[in-house]
């Protein structure tokens, strides 16, 4: 080392003159410089001191290098104090039961007290036996890891060991899994910081909740479900030991081919548990004798099979909160949301079964129409798994035809198993994805209907969707025909045409001609003449009620033309069905709409004209239970008063908006009850319930419909091909769609009440002759009898047929007869007017009445 010394004196020019105020400061600086010189000379004079100085300088330089290379860029360990793991969204039905979850990873958060001691002991024995004694870094384990690292340099093999549980928490949650010496340094530094911030219990809780354990499982609870289909509290000793081996090779030990290796590692963990005092030797030996006992595939057994409904909920949640953590703290796949939906499990099951039965009835006997999908036979298993195609109906399964000989062949399933299938259609080829069912020891081909459809069930008083089925099975494809398929509703639109007529001066008893109706459409299109269903002509004049009950096209277009199509399409738009041009064909259902919108519009009819926003989600809570979104946004400031103030109970305002006159809505519903009693949906009459509804059949016929229900439940169904084509000449809404609704009602009979529809204020019920629409006095109306001559009819004030007394009727009759006699007398003389024995007069009376 050079013998350089600091200068003995300060520069002469720095010396202040005597008496200068800075003289004291000067002397202090000079004395300090003298002390520095003496210390420096002592260091230089002694070798140990020189080495000590060099050591301190080296440590300082080393710290500077470590700080620049590692510490400077380390994330703050304080993040763990407020760490919120990515959690799946849990979905509940309207009864509070969990019906599904939205997750790309299996995650369940538990508190430290929820982890059984046996499980904790297994993980400590396998991963970090000195966890409770070290301060984040295990020096002994680190030394062994360093030796392993050096011996494997250049071999390409990855060294193992050396990381404590605290270091693994730092790696998993803060810095990632990069394989490098630098990452190990960062891991150690962060482990020391974590130990100064968190208790050992908090660190273990983070670790056991976040560790990756294979099968898309993060945390011991999710892994326990994935490998054993049980909760951690129910694990046996050998099962807890198995979970503890997974951090070393999470995607390997759970495979069938690695069962032997997993057994050896598990038994080693059991021995370590005995050594560390977490298990007795006898218990460990008994556990060693147990097989691994892994379940092949765990599927969540939720209370309802509602794929279409839940997919629609998922779409809405993503639109509202985002999909991933990057899109916000309450995202669907990371936010840990709790979602309460309006799904009714019983109604959902009934809707699914009813629609499937209707599709199968129509498709029965139609033969093979093609595969569900096709895959490459050489890579069939991977492509089948990747397609996510499956089916959950009876004992059916989806598989791939691998080869065939004659009418038999071999089929492969997603789990790798194979079998023999018989009765193959001639067009079936290897690579076809098909549905099969057990047939003795083999499999038999099953045909998924090519025809499809959608069904929605809704509460008319709130707009809450109670059930939704968008096809045969959501596992066959995510296209939801209940909300995404735009179809012509046909005659199901007619109630809103008649509602427009009722708003414009007509009544259910108004007489309308059911006769030829033609309109001139201009030089290019010429004249268009409308016809009734089946190309039927007219049938004379009838009441408007009869026209709706029998779904007469000619009466409907005549009414629409007389009141104005601009008013009709305005009513249809106001009901939320669609925005259509003012063409007469729209009055017969030529405009596209969805089952969902039609059901909501019929709900407005049932709720006295109030149209509600259709909802599937009631409210959403964040991971802490705070409600962050609610469908019902009505406020009630006085609902949670500490004490009653003596004033009337607070009442919520009604939801929705008044889309139709309440009186008009009831009149339409009252007429639509006749559709069920004696009209196109008469097949439902034997249910003996107060139901209303309307069938629909479009040109072709390509689509068949039924929409209707009660005061409490509205349901709508359509059936048709995805690429519209004729269903066959016999296809009608009353024959194909109405039976689906009937099966649904029978399956849920306890949910249907016998309470009739409530008559709103401003509606008067009058006895009328059902055929003529005239007001009558004798007899008792019977709205449930399809052949009743007298029924109750609903009228707005001053619109019912003129009421007259019996005496007035008799006097009017005599006046008419007297006028006839006088006319006869003037033409034929007094003798003819007298009528002789009365024969001629009787004939004349018969012509009048």
């Amino acid at each position: 080392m050079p013998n350089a010394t600091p200068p003995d004196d300060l520069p002469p020019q720095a010396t202040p003159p005597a008496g200068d105020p800075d003289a004291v400061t000067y002397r202090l600086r000079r004395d300090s410089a003298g002390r520095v010189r003496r210390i420096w000379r002592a260091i230089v004079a002694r070798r140990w001191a020189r080495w000590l100085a060099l050591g301190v300088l080296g440590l300082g330089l080393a710290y500077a290098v470590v700080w620049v290379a590692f510490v400077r860029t380390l994330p703050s360990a304080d993040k763990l104090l407020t760490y919120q793991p990515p959690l799946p969204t849990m979905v509940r039905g309207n009864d509070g039961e969990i019906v599904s979850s939205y997750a790309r990873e299996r995650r369940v958060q538990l508190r430290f007290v929820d982890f059984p001691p046996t499980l904790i002991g297994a993980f400590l024995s396998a991963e970090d036996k000195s966890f409770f004694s070290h301060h984040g870094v295990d020096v002994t384990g680190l030394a062994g890891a360093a030796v392993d690292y050096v011996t494997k340099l250049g071999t390409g093999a990855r060294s193992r060991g050396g990381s404590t549980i605290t270091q693994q928490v730092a790696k998993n949650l803060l810095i990632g899994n990069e394989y490098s010496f630098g990452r190990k340094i960062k891991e150690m530094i962060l482990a020391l910081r974590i130990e100064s911030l968190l208790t050992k219990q908090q660190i273990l809780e983070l670790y056991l909740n976040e560790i990756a354990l294979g099968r898309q499982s993060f945390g011991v609870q999710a892994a326990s479900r994935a490998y054993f289909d049980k909760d951690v509290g129910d694990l046996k000793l050998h099962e807890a030991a198995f979970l503890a081996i997974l951090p070393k090779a999470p995607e390997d030990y759970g495979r069938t081919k690695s069962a032997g290796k997993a057994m050896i590692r598990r038994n080693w963990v059991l021995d370590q548990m005995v050594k560390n005092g977490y298990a007795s030797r006898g218990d460990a030996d008994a556990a060693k004798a147990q097989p691994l006992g892994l379940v092949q595939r765990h599927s969540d057994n939720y209370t309802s099979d509602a794929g279409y409904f839940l997919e629609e909920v998922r779409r809405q949640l993503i639109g509202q909160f985002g999909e991933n953590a990057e899109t916000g703290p309450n995202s669907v796949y990371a936010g840990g949301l709790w979602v309460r939906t309006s799904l009714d499990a019983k109604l959902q099951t009934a809707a699914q079964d009813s629609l499937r039965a209707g599709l199968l009835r129509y498709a029965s006997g139609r033969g093979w129409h093609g595969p569900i999908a096709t895959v490459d036979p050489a890579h069939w298993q991977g492509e089948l798994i990747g397609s996510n195609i499956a089916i959950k109906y009876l004992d059916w399964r989806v598989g791939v035809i691998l080869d065939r000989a004659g009418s038999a062949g071999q089929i492969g399933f997603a789990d790798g198993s194979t079998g023999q299938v018989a009765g193959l259609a001639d067009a079936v080829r290897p690579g076809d994805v098909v549905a099969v069912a057990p047939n003795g020891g083999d499999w038999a081909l099953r045909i998924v209907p090519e025809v499809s459809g959608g069904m929605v069930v809704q509460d008319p008083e709130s707009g809450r969707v109670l059930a939704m089925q968008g096809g045969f099975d959501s596992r066959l494809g995510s296209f939801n025909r209940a909300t995404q398929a735009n179809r012509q509703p046909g005659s199901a639109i007619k109630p809103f045409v008649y509602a427009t007529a009722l708003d414009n001066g007509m009544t259910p008893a108004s007489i309308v001609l059911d006769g030829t109706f033609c309109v001139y459409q201009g030089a290019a299109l010429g004249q268009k003449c409308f016809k009734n269903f089946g190309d039927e002509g007219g049938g004379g004049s009838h009441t408007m009620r009869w026209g709706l009950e029998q779904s007469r096209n000619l009466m409907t277009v005549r009414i629409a033309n007389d009141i104005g199509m601009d008013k009709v399409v305005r009513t249809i738009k106001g009901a939320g069905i669609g925005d259509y041009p003012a063409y007469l064909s729209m009055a017969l259902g030529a405009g596209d709409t969805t089952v969902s919108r039609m059901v909501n519009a019929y709900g407005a009819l049932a709720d006295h004209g109030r149209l509600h926003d259709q909802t599937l989600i009631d409210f959403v809570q964040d991971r802490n239970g705070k409600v962050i979104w609610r469908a019902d946004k009505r406020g009630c400031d006085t609902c949670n008063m500490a004490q009653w103030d003596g004033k009337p109970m607070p009442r919520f305002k009604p939801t929705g908006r008044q889309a139709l006159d309440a009186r008009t809505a009831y009149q339409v519903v009252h007429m639509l009850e006749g559709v069920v009693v004696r009209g196109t949906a008469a097949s439902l009459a034997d249910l003996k319930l107060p139901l209303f509804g309307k069938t629909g059949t479009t040109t072709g016929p390509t689509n068949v419909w039924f929409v209707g229900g009660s005061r409490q439940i509205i349901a709508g169904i359509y059936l048709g091909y995805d690429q519209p084509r004729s269903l066959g000449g016999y296809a009608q809404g009353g024959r194909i769609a109405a039976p689906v609704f009937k099966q649904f009602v029978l399956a849920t009979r306890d949910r249907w009440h016998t309470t009739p529809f409530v008559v709103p204020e401003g509606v008067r019920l009058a006895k009328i002759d059902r055929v003529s629409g005239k007001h009558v006095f004798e007899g008792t109306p019977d709205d449930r009898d399809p052949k009743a001559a007298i029924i109750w009819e609903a009228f707005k004030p001053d619109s019912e047929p003129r009421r007259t007394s019996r005496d007035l009727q008799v006097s009017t009759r005599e006046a008419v007869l007297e006028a006839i006699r006088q006319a006869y007398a003037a033409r034929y003389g007094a003798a003819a007017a007298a009528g002789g024995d009365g024969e001629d007069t009787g004939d004349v009376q018969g012509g009048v009445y």
Side-chain angles (χ1 to χ4, degrees), residues 2 617 646 761:
I617 302 171
E761 185 178 355

Side-chain angles (χ1 to χ4, degrees), residues 520-541:
Y520 182 68
Q521 303 180 103
L525 298 176
Q527 184 167 269
K528 175 178 176 59
C529 292
F530 291 88
K531 293 185 178 181
N532 287 317
F533 181 81
D535 289 334
E536 291 183 12
S541 296

Side-chain angles (χ1 to χ4, degrees), residues 59-326:
L59 287 175
L61 290 172
Y63 177 78
V65 171
V66 170
W67 187 88
V68 171
F70 305 111
V71 179
R72 181 173 58 90
T73 58
L74 281 180
S76 173
D78 291 343
K79 290 181 180 180
L80 297 181
L81 295 173
T82 56
Y83 174 71
Q84 290 189 324
L87 291 177
T89 290
M90 305 302 296
V91 184
R92 298 180 184 272
N94 64 3
D95 59 357
E97 292 293 325
I98 295 177
V99 294
S100 187
S101 65
Y102 303 129
R104 295 194 173 107
E105 301 168 343
R106 292 189 174 100
R107 290 180 182 269
V108 181
Q109 291 293 111
L110 299 181
R111 299 171 301 162
F112 180 77
V113 295
D114 297 323
F115 299 118
T118 301
L119 184 69
I120 294 175
F123 273 87
L124 293 181
S125 297
E127 294 294 315
D128 191 358
K129 64 181 180 181
S130 61
F131 173 74
F132 282 103
S133 60
H134 64 64
H135 297 287
V137 178
D138 181 5
V139 178
T140 304
L142 182 63
V147 172
D148 187 52
Y149 179 80
V150 172
T151 57
K152 291 180 178 178
L153 280 176
T155 64
R158 184 164 181 166
S159 64
R160 298 178 179 272
S163 289
T164 64
I165 283 178
T166 311
Q167 287 175 261
Q168 292 183 56
V169 169
K171 175 186 68 176
N172 294 334
L173 302 184
L174 296 176
I175 58 176
N177 197 30
E178 175 195 0
Y179 180 64
S180 67
F181 179 76
R183 192 265 296 171
K184 207 71 174 178
I185 298 296
K186 294 178 181 179
E187 188 181 287
M188 293 166 57
I189 296 170
L190 280 173
L192 295 171
R193 291 182 178 179
I194 291 170
E195 291 274 350
S196 67
L197 286 171
L198 304 177
T199 65
K200 290 289 188 179
Q201 289 77 10
Q202 289 173 318
I203 295 170
L204 260 182
E205 181 178 307
L206 282 172
Y207 175 76
L208 293 175
N209 277 325
E210 291 299 315
I211 187 69
L213 297 174
R215 294 196 181 183
Q216 295 181 306
S217 300
F218 290 79
V220 292
Q221 170 63 19
S224 179
R225 277 288 172 188
Y227 289 99
F228 300 110
D229 200 14
K230 59 176 65 176
D231 296 323
V232 291
D234 300 325
L235 290 174
K236 296 179 181 179
L237 179 59
H238 70 280
E239 294 168 335
F242 172 82
L243 293 185
I245 75 174
L246 294 174
K248 295 297 183 186
E251 298 298 337
D252 186 23
Y253 285 136
R255 298 178 183 273
T256 303
K257 65 180 182 180
S258 302
K261 184 168 58 174
M263 187 79 75
I264 294 172
R265 179 71 179 174
R266 183 201 69 176
N267 293 345
W268 176 84
V269 170
L270 290 169
D271 287 336
Q272 293 300 306
M273 292 180 72
V274 173
K275 182 178 179 180
N276 297 321
Y278 294 114
S280 67
R281 172 50 62 188
D283 289 342
D285 290 341
K288 287 182 179 181
Q290 297 293 326
L292 292 179
L294 309 182
V295 297
Q296 288 301 311
R297 176 176 287 189
H298 165 70
S299 59
D300 296 310
N301 296 318
Y302 294 123
T303 58
S304 182
D305 184 11
Y308 292 106
F309 185 105
L310 296 169
E311 175 60 16
E312 188 65 25
V313 169
R314 189 187 73 91
R315 289 193 190 104
Q316 294 184 15
L317 289 172
I318 289 176
Q320 181 78 14
F321 300 106
E323 184 172 1
N324 302 310
E326 295 77 14

